[in-house]
Amino acid sequence: MNWRKPATLLLTVAITAYLLHKVYSEASRVNLSASSLLSPYFLTAVLTGFVAYLLYTALWYVYVHHASGVSFRRTLLATLSGTYLGFSLNSAVGVLVKVRLLGTDYWYTMGVGLLAIATEFLAGLLLIAFIGKNPIALTIAGALLVVVIFDRVAYYFLYPLFWAIKKLQTLEKMYSGWHRARGELKTVLLAIAVGILLAVANSTALYLTARTFGVGENYIKFLEAVLYSNFLGGLLGTPGGIGANELGVTLAIGDSPTAIVVAFLYKFITQYAYAIVGAVAFYRLVAGEVKAN
């Protein structure tokens, strides 16, 4: 429809204006200068954030390609589209639309997507458990690993709930997608390896952003910050996780004007910047200019 492109442009301008206002208002209490943003620390953080976004796409690709043969290009376009809608609406809508663009059967592909999300958290928890020697993280990671590998356990755990709401067919489709994507053990191990690289890339981008402003903490704090950010950003459902993402980061590295700026810039270079590109990807997919593979 003719109104879509102007509406997209207007929304993109509004999002960008909000971002600039948010950074400016917080930066007024911090020594933020052009030289800081052009420093080797921050430029390397931007590059690392780009690598992290590709790794995030690759994590989904490992599963969706195994399950239905979707190409990496299609996965990247769907991921960008999901980022755009997650930013302009909320993270749940972003995931739902991304799932829809990746698969012919919605609930089947949702099962694949849930597996990718679980693997991302599993990888982060494993790093925190072994690097930080955190027994709680190890316990949660162990429980998630059981769910990922022995998915029938999760199926029987959820069965009474879906039976009560008369949605057993939905559960069957989600389980089918999860189980087929999981496939052989080597598929899971590959996904976990990509997830670990993703966690390292994200936490390194956050660390380098913090170093730009002279904030230095134990590296494990940045791993925890990334995990908190992802969890709260998805749980609280604010558009793009704005506010919730930053809260997750500051819970780990401290609540101060500098920490807030660090948190926001980190999310900008790893997520928010891609929302603008995602608007183009989304309307290309919706318009049918890119065929599913």
Side-chain angles (χ1 to χ4, degrees), residues 41-60:
Y41 279 125
F42 190 71
L43 293 178
T44 307
V46 172
L47 178 60
T48 308
F50 174 69
V51 171
Y53 197 84
L54 291 179
L55 285 169
Y56 172 68
T57 304
L59 175 59
W60 279 71

Side-chain angles (χ1 to χ4, degrees), residues 23 32 37 42 209 213 260-269:
V23 173
L32 179 63
L37 300 182
F42 190 71
T209 304
F213 301 96
I260 292 172
V261 170
V262 167
F264 193 83
L265 288 177
Y266 158 71
K267 292 308 298 186
F268 183 84
I269 64 176

Side-chain angles (χ1 to χ4, degrees), residues 5 13 15-16 20 31 34 37 41 53 84 93 100 112 132 142 147 154 164 167 184 189 218 259-260 269 280 285:
K5 289 185 178 180
V13 170
I15 289 172
T16 305
L20 293 174
N31 183 23
L37 300 182
Y41 279 125
Y53 197 84
Y84 159 63
V93 172
R100 179 61 180 168
V112 180
V147 171
K167 294 290 185 179
E184 302 174 1
L189 293 177
N218 188 326
I260 292 172
I269 64 176
V280 178
L285 284 170

Side-chain angles (χ1 to χ4, degrees), residues 1-9 84 283 286-287:
M1 299 177 68
N2 293 332
W3 58 267
R4 284 181 175 174
K5 289 185 178 180
T8 302
L9 179 60
Y84 159 63
Y283 287 107
V286 169

Side-chain angles (χ1 to χ4, degrees), residues 116-166:
I117 293 171
T119 304
E120 182 181 359
F121 279 105
L122 171 61
L125 287 166
L126 287 173
L127 282 174
I128 293 172
F130 290 108
I131 296 177
K133 298 179 181 179
N134 188 319
I136 297 177
L138 182 60
T139 301
I140 299 174
L144 263 180
L145 188 60
V146 169
V147 171
V148 170
I149 297 178
F150 304 101
D151 48 16
R152 201 68 180 174
V153 174
Y155 173 85
Y156 285 122
F157 179 79
L158 293 172
Y159 188 92
L161 173 62
F162 280 81
W163 179 82
I165 61 176
K166 303 184 186 305

Side-chain angles (χ1 to χ4, degrees), residues 26 70 84 106 155 162 167 173 188 190 251 260 291:
E26 296 294 350
V70 175
Y84 159 63
Y106 176 80
Y155 173 85
F162 280 81
K167 294 290 185 179
K173 288 182 178 180
V188 176
L190 175 60
L251 281 175
I260 292 172
K291 295 182 179 179

